Amino acid sequence: PRLLGPDLNEAAVAAIRNARIESNLRSDQLFHTEVADPRDNKLFQEIADLVVPKLVDFGVLLFGEKLRWTVKEMWTNMLEKGGSQTLHSHANSFVSGIIYLTPSHPACRTVFMRPLGGSDFSFRHHTRSAAMGPFNAGKYVLPEAEPGDLVLFPSYLYHEVPRNQGEQRITVSFNAIPDSLDCWGYRINF
């Protein structure tokens, strides 16, 4: 919650509304800024500096060890009324994130889905008394996010944004990688 303070959040919204935008390939009401290396953009670098400690903590959950992380790319999403984002995942990264900059209509909360034919357990524990959450549900709708909030997720996880029924929704998205992974001496550097 509230990774970005109000001043940085407002500065980000102002910069994004004045930035060059590209139309989304599948929705006429979804626009993006170009994908950028945060090191080449002062605003993105300031946001990435706040994100990295959270990536380290999330990386411990994914890989069981504190690793050095780099936010390798960032972009913004401006979803107008009536727009949506189709189901997709992010390639060539391990962790992806969304930072919410404006309030979102409850109907367009981010939805995470396990892919059909996934590689997780075949047995499920779906009973009337079981609480469904991000790790046991086939489909998980993110709770409402407030401006400045950060959500991290494994990049392979499919997600979408249903049709926006409210005002313009602005987010910053990013992909991140660890500096290296080691499997019993077989080390891969990124």
Side-chain angles (χ1 to χ4, degrees):
R2 295 176 191 82
L3 177 74
L4 303 187
D7 291 343
L8 181 55
N9 197 90
E10 286 177 29
V13 169
I16 291 162
R17 285 193 171 137
N18 292 318
R20 183 172 157 225
I21 57 173
E22 299 176 347
S23 296
N24 183 271
L25 297 174
R26 294 183 182 96
S27 175
D28 292 337
Q29 294 86 29
L30 176 59
F31 304 93
H32 312 281
T33 53
E34 292 179 352
V35 175
D37 182 331
R39 295 170 293 188
D40 298 334
N41 180 302
K42 184 180 177 199
L43 174 66
F44 282 174
Q45 183 62 58
E46 191 172 349
I47 293 171
D49 289 345
L50 295 172
V51 165
V52 167
K54 304 300 183 187
L55 286 168
V56 170
D57 293 342
F58 191 64
V60 171
L61 294 174
L62 292 179
F63 297 112
E65 182 180 358
K66 281 193 172 192
L67 302 170
R68 289 181 36 199
W69 286 84
T70 300
V71 175
K72 69 182 195 98
E73 56 204 8
M74 293 181 110
W75 64 97
T76 63
N77 306 291
M78 291 159 279
L79 186 62
E80 302 296 338
K81 187 172 188 165
S84 63
Q85 173 66 307
T86 59
L87 189 65
H88 67 284
S89 64
H90 296 204
N92 303 319
S93 58
F94 289 92
V95 173
S96 296
I98 306 166
I99 300 169
Y100 295 82
L101 299 179
T102 59
S104 299
H105 188 277
C108 70
R109 292 180 290 170
T110 305
V111 177
F112 294 96
M113 291 192 209
R114 294 180 192 275
L116 295 175
S119 59
D120 54 349
F121 296 115
S122 294
F123 288 104
R124 304 233 183 209
H125 184 71
H126 287 187
T127 67
R128 293 187 195 285
S129 62
M132 291 293 112
F135 303 109
N136 66 338
K139 180 178 180 180
Y140 178 73
V141 179
L142 190 70
E144 283 191 52
E146 298 295 326
D149 287 358
L150 164 69
V151 173
L152 297 173
F153 55 94
S155 298
Y156 64 79
L157 191 59
Y158 281 84
H159 54 288
E160 67 182 357
V161 180
R163 193 172 72 78
N164 183 10
Q165 298 175 27
E167 300 298 317
Q168 184 183 58
R169 174 188 190 262
I170 300 177
T171 59
V172 172
S173 296
F174 62 87
N175 291 322
I177 55 174
D179 287 357
S180 63
L181 292 174
D182 190 327
C183 185
W184 299 104
Y186 182 77
R187 185 177 190 88
I188 299 174
N189 297 312
F190 299 99

